[in-house]
Amino acid sequence: MSEIAGLPWSDRYLLGHAGMDATHREFVELVDRMLTCADHDLASALRAFIVHAEVHFAEEKAMMESSDFPATDCHVDDHNAVLASALEVVPLVLAGNIEIGRQFAAELARWFPSHADYLDSALSHWVVKRSTGGKPVVLRRKDAALS
C-alpha cells in the first residue's frame, strides 16, 4: 500500500480564480477518493478521475489559448502526461492490480501541489491580470499543515 494515506483539501491550493479553485477542489477530492476507497471501488474512482481530468485539462487549455498564456506548451504537456498515465493504469486496475492504481494516486498526490503552486498559479495570475489588471486575491483559513 502507498505511504500517502489521503489527500485532503486545503486552502493552500487556492489560487484566487474561482473556476480553477472549484475544479482543483474536485481534483483533490477525486485523488483522495482513489487513495482511500475500498479496493473494489478503485476502478470506478479511477474512471471518475479520468472524466474529471479530461474536462479539467481541456478547460485550462482553452483558458491558456484564449489568453495567449506564454507557458501553454509546458502546461499542456504536463496535463497530457498525467492523462496518458491514467489511461495506462486503467487496464491494470481492471485486471486486479490494485497496488498500481494506489501508486498512481499517490504520485498524483505528490504531483498536484507543485503543479498548482507553479503552473496553475502562473495561469491564474496571468488570466486574472489580463481580465482585471491586477493579481488574484487569495484568502486562506489558518491551516495546521501550513504552520
Side-chain angles (χ1 to χ4, degrees), residues 7 11 27 37 50 56 62 111 116 140-141 145:
L7 181 65
D11 281 359
F27 180 97
C37 69
I50 291 169
H56 173 168
W111 169 83
R140 293 182 173 103
R141 293 174 287 217

Side-chain angles (χ1 to χ4, degrees), residues 46 49 95:
L46 178 58
F49 170 79

Side-chain angles (χ1 to χ4, degrees), residues 31-106:
V31 173
D32 184 66
R33 180 176 166 214
M34 286 190 295
L35 288 166
T36 61
C37 69
D39 288 351
H40 66 272
D41 290 329
L42 184 58
S44 68
L46 178 58
R47 282 191 298 274
F49 170 79
I50 291 169
V51 168
H52 164 86
E54 288 172 337
V55 172
H56 173 168
F57 297 163
E59 287 173 350
E60 286 188 11
K61 182 178 181 184
M63 196 182 310
M64 289 181 252
E65 290 175 345
S66 70
S67 68
D68 295 320
F69 182 59
T72 296
D73 291 342
C74 176
H75 201 142
V76 169
D77 287 348
D78 212 30
H79 287 168
N80 289 344
V82 167
L83 198 50
S85 294
L87 295 171
E88 287 178 15
V89 169
V90 169
L92 301 171
V93 169
L94 290 174
N97 189 340
I98 299 304
E99 184 57 29
I100 196 77
R102 301 289 187 193
Q103 289 172 358
F104 172 69

Side-chain angles (χ1 to χ4, degrees), residues 7-17 20-22 24-25 28-29 112-113 116-117 121 137-146:
L7 181 65
W9 173 258
S10 168
D11 281 359
R12 79 174 286 255
Y13 303 130
L14 291 172
L15 301 174
H17 183 283
M20 289 178 76
D21 289 339
H24 286 170
R25 180 181 287 268
V28 167
E29 289 169 355
F112 177 73
D117 286 347
S121 177
V137 175
V138 180
L139 301 175
R140 293 182 173 103
R141 293 174 287 217
K142 183 171 174 72
D143 185 328
L146 296 175

